[in-house]
Amino acid sequence: MRVLIRGAGVAGLTAAHELLARGAEVTIIESAAGFTGAASWYAGGMLAPWCERESAEETVLTQGIGAADWWEAALPAGSVHRNGTLVVAQPRDGAELKRFASRTSGFRSLDAEQIAALEPALAGRFRQALFFPQEAHLDPRRALSALRQGLAVRGAAFADGDMDERGFALTVDCTGASRIGGIDGLRGVRGEMAYLQTDEVTLSRPVRMLHPRIPLYIVPRGGGLFMCGATMIESDDAGPITTRSLMELLNAAYALHPAFAEARLVETGTGVRPAFADNLPRASRRENTITVNGLYRHGFLLSPAMAGEVAALALGEEIPRGDIR
Ligand SMILES: Cc1cc2nc3c(=O)[nH]c(=O)nc-3n(C[C@H](O)[C@H](O)[C@H](O)COP(=O)(O)OP(=O)(O)OC[C@H]3O[C@@H](n4cnc5c(N)ncnc54)[C@H](O)[C@@H]3O)c2cc1C
């Protein structure tokens, strides 16, 4: 079966991977240069279904649990880091930690000594933390590039711009936030982030710092590079980061570790997360078009499950469980 996939973000590439695995002939078209038009390019790359349960439905946990295995199988060895997630809060924000613990599972409570053993850079900085040992993370930019390269090696065709759909048995629309206004109920949730570079701090896993107003996470990318994110603003404005957001992110990074004050600010960026009202993704088929969208803040976490759904819809298989609409 010849399939045309529109959009080479995480939804499009994971769908291509699953369709190729089932013997489809896949062509992927992308309207922007490189990955610059994709929200996926700006993601943290956290595969954190237990932490996400704090604000997400149970289905995000059940559908996201297999994501780290999926990515590990799809990417070169060493791409997925299974070091867990550390969640901390300043002593004055202890109530935030309690609230987070009450809404999640799959964690161990750590004291100051245990925090220092896990992340020596944070020794003496926090009295209490939650550790989610089963969580993982990856570098979205390396993952997208490797996935794209692997697809090309396996025979997928890539093209820029538009293409005539005639000649394809099926189109899969994975164009993310560009469909806001075109798909009922789809909205944008703006996420701003910053890349910081410093040799003064070493972290082995994503660290989330809870705060009543400005929660922060920092994801280590290796080589002294850290992704620091991210705002959650109800807007589909993809314009540059605002001064306020940048100040808040940097203040929070400084509160996590003062050495971030001397870090180099090497990049800032903004991605628009496509989301439905329930913040759950949907894959649906209408005649010869399958649409997958609404991955919200769970593109890397839930796209493997969604790609399975797309393949099932494409090839008429039974859809795996009905959790995600
Ligand atoms: C700051 C930030 C942090 C995040 N952190 C995480 C995280 O830690 N973990 C996680 O799981 N998720 C995270 N996310 C969420 C994740 O990035 C999104 O859910 C995901 O990127 C959505 O993927 P998508 O493929 O649907 O859309 P996109 O990545 O936006 O891809 C859509 C693609 O379609 C292309 N396109 C548009 N129109 C057309 C057209 N007509 N023809 C062809 N191509 C077209 C666009 O150029 C784009 O490349 C984060 C997001 C942001 C912004």
Side-chain angles (χ1 to χ4, degrees), residues 74-319:
L75 298 177
S79 301
V80 177
H81 308 284
R82 292 176 177 263
N83 298 337
T85 305
L86 188 65
V87 180
V88 298
Q90 300 285 3
R92 65 172 178 272
D93 299 326
E96 291 297 310
L97 211 55
K98 277 205 188 100
R99 194 187 53 80
F100 199 94
S102 74
R103 299 179 62 93
T104 53
S105 62
F107 62 84
R108 293 201 302 267
S109 294
L110 305 186
D111 61 20
E113 209 174 305
Q114 292 165 317
I115 297 168
L118 200 65
E119 290 289 5
L122 301 182
R125 302 205 54 75
F126 299 97
R127 286 188 216 141
Q128 284 178 305
L130 307 174
F131 178 48
F132 294 77
Q134 300 169 83
E135 297 194 332
H137 70 283
L138 50 71
D139 179 338
R141 297 179 175 186
R142 287 200 191 131
L144 292 167
S145 303
L147 202 54
R148 186 182 162 126
Q149 211 177 344
L151 290 167
V153 168
R154 287 163 60 210
F158 285 87
D160 298 331
D162 209 352
M163 197 171 265
D164 192 345
E165 290 186 354
R166 286 171 299 186
F168 291 93
L170 199 65
T171 300
V172 185
D173 184 326
C174 301
T175 53
S178 73
R179 294 299 314 276
I180 293 171
I183 297 179
D184 251 8
L186 192 70
R187 74 185 203 283
V189 181
R190 174 176 158 94
E192 299 152 301
M193 47 70 76
Y195 270 95
L196 305 181
Q197 207 276 322
T198 174
D199 294 329
E200 303 297 314
V201 185
T202 304
L203 297 173
S204 301
R205 53 190 55 77
V207 178
R208 296 184 181 220
M209 195 171 75
L210 305 181
H211 185 276
R213 261 187 325 111
I214 312 151
L216 164 93
Y217 58 77
I218 289 205
V219 190
R221 293 279 188 255
L225 194 62
F226 297 87
M227 186 275 197
C228 177
T231 57
M232 297 278 292
I233 299 169
E234 290 290 329
S235 163
D236 57 10
D237 171 13
I241 191 168
T242 62
T243 318
R244 174 199 289 268
S245 295
L246 185 58
M247 285 194 299
E248 288 179 346
L249 286 180
L250 297 181
N251 270 334
Y254 177 66
L256 183 72
H257 198 299
F260 281 116
E262 302 301 327
R264 287 163 199 266
L265 175 60
V266 291
E267 183 189 330
T268 59
T270 300
V272 177
R273 310 172 183 93
F276 290 106
D278 57 7
N279 295 330
L280 294 175
R282 287 173 203 174
S284 58
R285 178 167 181 165
R286 194 166 177 194
E287 295 171 359
N288 292 338
T289 300
I290 293 173
T291 302
V292 51
N293 215 316
L295 279 155
Y296 183 49
R297 52 186 275 164
H298 304 130
F300 286 80
L301 181 63
L302 296 182
S303 60
M306 295 310 289
E309 282 204 27
V310 168
L313 286 169
L315 304 169
E317 294 169 23
E318 197 182 322
I319 296 178

